[in-house]
Structures are given as C-alpha cells and as structure tokens.
Amino acid sequence: MTSSGAGDDRLATWKAREAALYRLLPYGGLAVGTLLALLTTAPRGLPIQLTLAVVVAAGAWVAWFITLHPGWQGRRTRMAIYYAGLLTFAAVLVVASPWYGYFAWIGYVHAFPVLSWRWRIGGVAVTAVLLATAQGGGVSAALAGSQLWLVLVLFNVLVAGAVIWFNIVAEREDAKRKRLVAELAAANRQLTETVRENEGLHAQLVTQAREAGVLDERQRMAREIHDTLAQGLTGIITQLEAAEQTRDRSGDWRRHVDNALALARESLTEARRSVRAIRPEPLEAARLPDALTELGGRWSARHGVRAEVSTTGTPRPLHPEVEVTLLRAAQEALANVARHAAASRVGLTLSYMSDVVTLDVRDDGTGFEAGTGGAAPKPDGGYGLTAMRQRVTEVGGRLNVESEPGGGTAISASVPALPGGVG
C-alpha cells in the first residue's frame, strides 16, 4: 500500500469516528443539562415535569433523524427540518433552564455536516443567541441585564463566525485535496498504461534491433566474403586457367601457379580477419595511400596491366571504417577491371579535401552500358558494385559510376573525411 493510500485510510477512519461522536453528543448534552437542572437551584422557566417531557422529545427527535437514519445526512431538505427542530427544542430547554446550554451547543456541531454553508451561518447565529442566553443565567437574567446579554451574544457570534470561516476554508482545502488526489490517481493510471505500452514498444524495438543487427551482420559477412573469398577464388581460377594454357612454357606456368598460391594465402588471411571484424592487413601495416600503392603494384604484377596510383591533398588519418571502405572499393574496382574491362591502363587517384575524401578509379577498357543504377552486367551475376555501393552509403558517402561501350569506365567513391578515433 502506498503512503497516500494509507493516509486516505487513516482520514476515512478519523471521519467515521468523528461522525459517531457527533451522533452521541446531543444525548450527552441532554444528560448533563438535565442532571444540573435537577441538582442545582438555577432559575427555572418551566415545570420540571414539562421540562423532562421536552428532553425526551428532543432525544427522540435526534434519534429519529440522526441515530436511526444516518443515511439521511445527504438529504438537505430533511436535514433542514431536523436542524430547525433541534434549535426549537434547544430554545425551549434554555428557557426551561440555562443549564441546557450544553444541549444548545450541539447547534454548532450539527450545523456543519447537515447544512449548506449559507444556511449554516443562520443556524450558527441562532445557536450563538441561545448560548449567550444560557451563559447570562436564563431568559429573565438576559432581560434584566440586556447589555451583558448583548456582549455575550456578540462574543458567541464572533467565535462562531471564526469557526465557520475556518471550517469553510478547511472544506475547500479538503475538496481541493480530493480533486488533486483524483487527478493524481488518473495520472498514475495513465502513467501505468503508458509504462505498459512502453514495455511493449521496448520489446518490439529490441526485437527489431536484434533483427536489424542480424541483417547488418549478414550483409557485412556477404560483403567481406565477396571482397576476400570470392575475389580471391576468382583470381585463383584466372591464374590456374592461365597456367593451363602455358603448360609448354615452364616459366610462365610457374609464375601463374605462384600467383594462385599467393592469392590463396592472402584470401585465407583476409577471410579470417573478416570473420573477426579486424581491419584488412594492408591497413594494419601502412597508411591508406601506401596500402593503395601496394595494392596497385600487386594487381599490376598479377594481371600485366599498368596501374598508376596517385594522391592529391594532404594525407591524414581517417576513421578506420572510412579507410576500409575506400580500400575495399579499390579492390572491387580493380577486380572488375581484371574480369571485364580488357584494359591496358588503370589509374587510381586518392584525393584529400577539407570535408571529403574521394577515390577515383579509371580504366581505358571496353566499358559497358551503365543503365539505371550504374551496375555493370556480369555473366556470373556478381555482387561487386552492389556491395561497394552499400559500403560507401553506410559511411555517409556516395558512389558514382560512368561508363560507355568502348569508352572505358570511371568509378568515384566520395566519403566524409571523418578523422581517426571518431566512433
């Protein structure tokens, strides 16, 4: 149970006890007034027998409206009748004996729970007059000392007015508190619903994130397999086919076989590094311009095509993912040239600018009809340009392909120049 709930329970218990006390007080006032009227020599305005009859009638009046029918307190008309009868009995008893001021005092107590605040003012004022009369010694004494009686009336009216004021303020604060509690409960219910919805949304987002992570990893592995195993196997097949055609020339045959073995070792190493998500080996030992120069030299030696690598601007360390993207783009572009272009010369240019780094790969080969999306037709259904475009796009870059039949091909990859260490 919350603290607010426990506080509401205590308040409800206190109000229940208070209501029970208010129902008993009239009988106590009648008992005390009757006892003092019988035992003292205070002036009497009515015979004792008639006074006792009025006492019994007053007790029955209270019992009928308050004790036997507590549910009537919410009915304003019946409670107004009850309160008018209560003041009437109190007035008769005060005339009978000033000691019944103890009973007349109940007019203060019962005015608050049974009357609206406008009628409450009149009822409390009448009660104040009755108490002032009882405190002055009865009706005869009040008539004899009217000034003292007026002072007592004024005092009781002031006290009763203060009580009414504080009671009205307390009722308003209580109503405000109840309204705030109701609003807080509604807000808590809304918050509970929101939390429940957020839990479902969170579970959905976690599932989507997991699925997206699996898809991203599959795409990464597909690109890495293409950039390592597929390219390596393609190169090995090319070298072995060339070796088959040069069986009668032992020197050329040995060169092609050695190239195939070297490609197999490199592909195996890169495949292992890709599975463990480690940077390519050329970037571990050298800067990107040097790695591209080494890549162009090895490719030129294997395929017998001149590859020129140049760098413009001031080289600087880039984010590892950016450097890997550019290196893989260069590898894929050179692999496409070897498989499809029949080129005699290839040029690679790495350009460092203020906010972007661009890699341009140009060849003078056969070219192709670029078409929509700039993808070269491949008889093997290759994944090359698609993987290259995905890599470049994932780092916030752009890939452009320009080609025409007989006019060669130009591939340009532009990526943000993110500095090294930014992740």
Side-chain angles (χ1 to χ4, degrees):
M1 181 182 295
T2 62
S3 58
S4 60
D8 290 341
D9 291 342
R10 288 195 296 268
L11 182 60
T13 302
W14 171 257
K15 287 188 174 181
R17 293 175 179 175
E18 183 182 42
L21 179 62
Y22 286 173
R23 288 194 293 269
L24 294 176
L25 284 176
Y27 306 112
L30 287 174
V32 171
T34 301
L35 182 63
L36 293 175
L38 293 174
L39 297 179
T40 62
T41 57
R44 295 177 181 175
L46 295 175
I48 189 63
Q49 293 82 2
L50 182 58
T51 301
L52 292 177
V54 174
V55 168
V56 173
W61 184 263
V62 174
W64 177 254
F65 282 93
I66 300 300
T67 305
L68 297 179
H69 300 94
W72 286 0
Q73 290 192 25
R75 302 181 181 183
R76 292 299 183 186
T77 301
R78 294 187 181 184
M79 286 297 97
I81 295 173
Y82 158 73
Y83 192 78
L86 177 70
L87 292 183
T88 301
F89 281 115
V92 172
L93 290 174
V94 167
V95 171
S97 173
W99 291 116
Y100 285 102
Y102 289 103
F103 176 72
W105 173 80
I106 302 303
Y108 285 150
V109 178
H110 281 198
F112 295 102
V114 301
L115 298 178
S116 64
W117 70 271
R118 291 184 177 86
W119 288 102
R120 194 178 299 165
I121 295 174
V124 169
V126 173
T127 302
V129 173
L130 293 177
L131 284 178
T133 302
Q135 292 164 356
V139 176
S140 58
L143 294 176
S146 58
Q147 293 181 348
L148 175 61
W149 180 79
L150 290 175
V151 171
L152 290 174
V153 169
L154 180 61
F155 173 78
N156 281 278
V157 168
L158 290 176
V159 172
V163 172
I164 291 175
W165 171 254
F166 285 115
N167 182 262
I168 291 175
V169 171
E171 285 186 349
R172 289 178 178 175
E173 290 297 321
D174 185 60
K176 181 179 179 182
R177 184 191 64 82
K178 289 180 178 179
R179 185 173 65 255
L180 292 176
V181 169
E183 293 175 355
L184 180 60
N188 284 336
R189 288 192 297 271
Q190 183 65 32
L191 180 60
T192 301
E193 291 296 326
T194 302
V195 169
R196 188 177 298 113
E197 293 176 0
N198 286 343
E199 288 176 351
L201 180 61
H202 176 71
Q204 182 180 357
L205 290 177
V206 169
T207 301
Q208 292 177 350
R210 185 183 299 111
E211 293 175 352
V214 171
L215 180 60
D216 289 343
E217 182 61 17
R218 287 176 177 172
Q219 291 179 346
R220 184 190 76 83
M221 290 303 300
R223 290 193 300 268
E224 293 296 336
I225 289 172
H226 174 271
D227 293 341
T228 56
L229 293 178
Q231 288 185 6
L233 290 173
T234 301
I236 292 170
I237 292 172
T238 301
Q239 293 298 323
L240 292 177
E241 288 176 346
E244 181 69 21
Q245 296 173 3
T246 57
R247 281 180 176 274
D248 55 343
R249 299 193 301 274
S250 61
D252 291 339
W253 181 85
R254 172 54 60 187
R255 179 171 59 82
H256 289 307
V257 171
D258 290 342
N259 286 339
L261 289 173
L263 278 172
R265 293 189 182 97
E266 289 178 8
S267 298
L268 180 59
T269 300
E270 286 300 309
R272 288 171 175 170
R273 300 177 72 86
S274 297
V275 170
R276 290 178 292 174
I278 300 177
R279 298 181 70 191
E281 186 174 7
L283 292 177
E284 291 288 344
R287 297 185 306 167
L288 179 61
D290 299 330
L292 291 177
T293 300
E294 181 183 356
L295 172 65
R298 291 199 312 271
W299 183 87
S300 181
R302 289 196 187 105
H303 299 282
V305 178
R306 184 158 56 103
E308 299 176 353
V309 181
S310 62
T311 301
T312 64
T314 304
R316 57 188 184 274
L318 300 175
H319 189 282
E321 192 64 26
V322 172
E323 292 190 341
V324 170
T325 297
L326 293 175
L327 178 63
R328 294 303 191 196
Q331 289 176 333
E332 176 59 29
L334 290 175
N336 286 340
V337 172
R339 289 196 297 269
H340 309 294
S344 61
R345 187 180 62 179
V346 179
L348 290 86
T349 303
L350 182 64
S351 303
Y352 287 89
M353 289 169 276
S354 59
D355 55 350
V356 296
V357 179
T358 301
L359 173 68
D360 296 303
V361 182
R362 304 171 306 282
D363 68 74
D364 60 355
T366 57
F368 58 89
E369 190 67 41
T372 304
K378 299 181 179 63
D380 61 353
Y383 180 68
L385 285 178
T386 301
M388 189 189 309
R389 192 180 302 279
Q390 286 179 350
R391 279 188 179 276
V392 172
T393 302
E394 284 186 358
V395 297
R398 184 178 67 255
L399 181 72
N400 294 321
V401 179
E402 297 180 0
S403 183
E404 62 181 12
T409 302
I411 296 178
S412 177
S414 297
V415 297
L418 298 177
V422 177

